[in-house]
Amino acid sequence: MADTQSKRARNMPTGPSPFTPQEAAALAQEKFRDPLVTAKGEARAHVGLHRLETLWFNTGSLCNLACATCFMESSPTNDALVYLTAAEVARFMDEADADFDTREIGFTGGEPFMNPDFPAMLGDALDRGYDVLVLSNAMKPMRRHEAGLETLKAAHGNRLTIRISLDHYTQAAHEGERGANSWAPAIAGLRWLSDAGFSIAVAGRHLPHEDDAAARAGYADLFAQQDIRIDAADPARLVLFPEMDETKDVPEITTACWGILDVSPRSIMCSSSRMVVRRKGAQAAAVVACTLLPYDAAFEMGTTLAAANHTVSLNHPHCARFCVLGGASCS
Ligand code: SF4
Ligand code: SF4
């Protein structure tokens, strides 16, 4: 991922914007509206589902934390995405088993371990033979399931990976994002996973003044001090996301951008994954294009994986900011 990011950064258009700030603000309101055409009338980029390699489940938006810039706006009170049930997850995995060449099941939230059905859905995914990735903050909700996790590890080994969010390698920056007293329990949870021999990873971020190498060096020192078994140089084990300013204008992505930026549509998350969510008040769980757009109805694709097996138009600012230009991907 680090190589991809730096490659994209090198290929990003440079030089002064052709628009004054007022013109840019006016243009931004017109952007990302038409799924087929940009505000300038160019053909909008789109991404087909090449292979459903990873099927994500958003287990619910409730979280024990309320992080300052959580893109899910998760909190102890946000239940806009209600808890999925184990039966709903099983329905989608049945379809993946039968009709898709799916390799991996991902669970995200909110905090997945808060969902009362989570142990059942996790066990089901592993029993079916999938690789499983769980995104967690490693705090109390996860620690309540230590015995169950040990049992799953004994049965399935490294097919279960738990990825822990540590917003920075310093307590101050982590707690600046996640709140007071959030550092020590996260480190303790990560150490427990490491000591117990789980397959683990960390999701972190660069501060604006840090480059990838500086951030990896900082995490490497932390892992050494805490005796945590993660190679900070391995981009699969330490996944670093750049800090994004969501208030800044971004260009729209046209079909010509793939060649200009030297980015393949197949490198974009919605080419290889979908996510299942259940909205509060909805009759059924539904499939959305990716983990980054859980709330936008325009990116909801139906109530089966078959219905979601079609092309996604990149008409959301996240498509440009996070995926095509920023190179960040939750998976
Ligand atoms: S722990 Fe994760 S899901 Fe929960 S509020 Fe923080 S960023 Fe959002
Ligand atoms: S945000 Fe990224 S992964 Fe999601 S639909 Fe847009 S380009 Fe695809």
Side-chain angles (χ1 to χ4, degrees):
M1 177 171 286
D3 288 349
T4 312
Q5 278 175 15
S6 57
K7 182 178 179 190
R8 288 179 192 167
R10 276 201 304 278
N11 287 312
M12 280 174 66
T14 55
S17 164
F19 302 107
T20 65
Q22 290 79 4
E23 285 169 328
L27 182 63
Q29 292 172 14
E30 297 307 314
K31 288 179 176 179
F32 302 107
R33 295 198 182 267
D34 186 317
L36 300 178
V37 182
T38 69
K40 291 185 193 166
E42 296 166 305
R44 185 179 303 287
H46 51 268
V47 171
L49 183 63
H50 173 62
R51 174 190 168 195
L52 182 58
E53 186 176 349
T54 303
L55 177 58
W56 286 91
F57 292 95
N58 188 301
T59 58
S61 50
L62 286 171
C63 189
N64 54 315
L65 293 179
C67 301
T69 56
C70 175
F71 79 92
M72 282 291 302
E73 297 157 31
S74 286
S75 74
T77 57
N78 177 4
D79 62 351
L81 300 182
V82 297
Y83 286 148
L84 287 174
T85 66
E88 285 171 319
V89 169
R91 171 171 80 81
F92 286 98
M93 289 196 293
D94 286 346
E95 194 182 355
D97 292 347
D99 299 328
F100 292 86
D101 185 21
T102 301
R103 177 186 67 78
E104 179 185 50
I105 299 294
F107 292 104
T108 183
E111 170 53 52
F113 285 97
M114 287 174 63
N115 180 321
D117 268 11
F118 185 58
M121 53 183 89
L122 180 56
D124 189 2
L126 288 163
D127 285 343
R128 289 171 191 251
Y130 291 109
D131 290 344
V132 174
L133 175 62
V134 180
L135 310 191
S136 172
N137 56 38
M139 296 173 76
K140 200 179 278 178
M142 185 197 82
R143 303 300 296 272
R144 283 199 294 258
H145 293 282
E146 287 179 9
L149 284 171
E150 295 259 32
T151 303
L152 288 175
K153 180 171 62 64
H156 302 288
N158 287 346
R159 280 202 294 109
L160 170 62
T161 296
I162 304 181
R163 193 168 90 192
I164 304 305
S165 299
L166 271 191
D167 270 304
H168 197 243
Y169 53 83
T170 65
Q171 178 173 356
H174 177 88
E175 293 195 340
E177 173 75 14
R178 301 198 153 223
N181 305 317
S182 60
W183 173 258
I187 293 292
L190 183 56
R191 282 197 60 164
W192 176 77
L193 289 166
S194 179
D195 290 348
F198 283 87
S199 168
I200 51 175
V202 158
R205 79 189 152 123
H206 304 238
L207 294 181
H209 61 275
E210 280 175 333
D211 62 14
D212 186 87
R216 286 186 189 281
Y219 279 97
D221 285 348
L222 173 70
F223 296 154
Q225 274 165 27
Q226 296 290 339
D227 205 15
I228 291 166
R229 293 177 298 99
I230 292 181
D231 176 2
D234 181 347
R237 293 290 165 181
L238 174 60
V239 182
L240 289 179
F241 296 107
E243 198 160 69
M244 295 284 173
D245 184 348
E246 294 195 33
T247 63
K248 278 194 181 155
D249 194 19
V250 283
E252 296 188 276
I253 306 301
T254 71
T255 50
C257 290
W258 302 125
I260 295 166
L261 299 169
D262 190 21
V263 173
S264 165
R266 289 199 184 169
S267 71
I268 305 296
M269 188 192 345
C270 51
S271 146
S272 59
S273 69
R274 292 286 183 263
M275 182 168 76
V276 175
V277 302
R278 178 145 194 184
R279 299 184 201 290
K280 194 175 186 175
Q283 293 291 315
V287 186
V288 296
C290 69
T291 60
L292 294 171
L293 298 169
Y295 296 126
D296 192 325
F299 288 81
E300 189 169 315
M301 307 180 86
T303 57
T304 63
L305 298 180
N309 187 5
H310 63 82
T311 296
V312 178
S313 285
L314 305 198
N315 64 320
H316 191 285
H318 283 11
C319 303
R321 186 178 288 119
F322 289 100
C323 295
V324 182
L325 299 177
S329 152
C330 261
S331 62

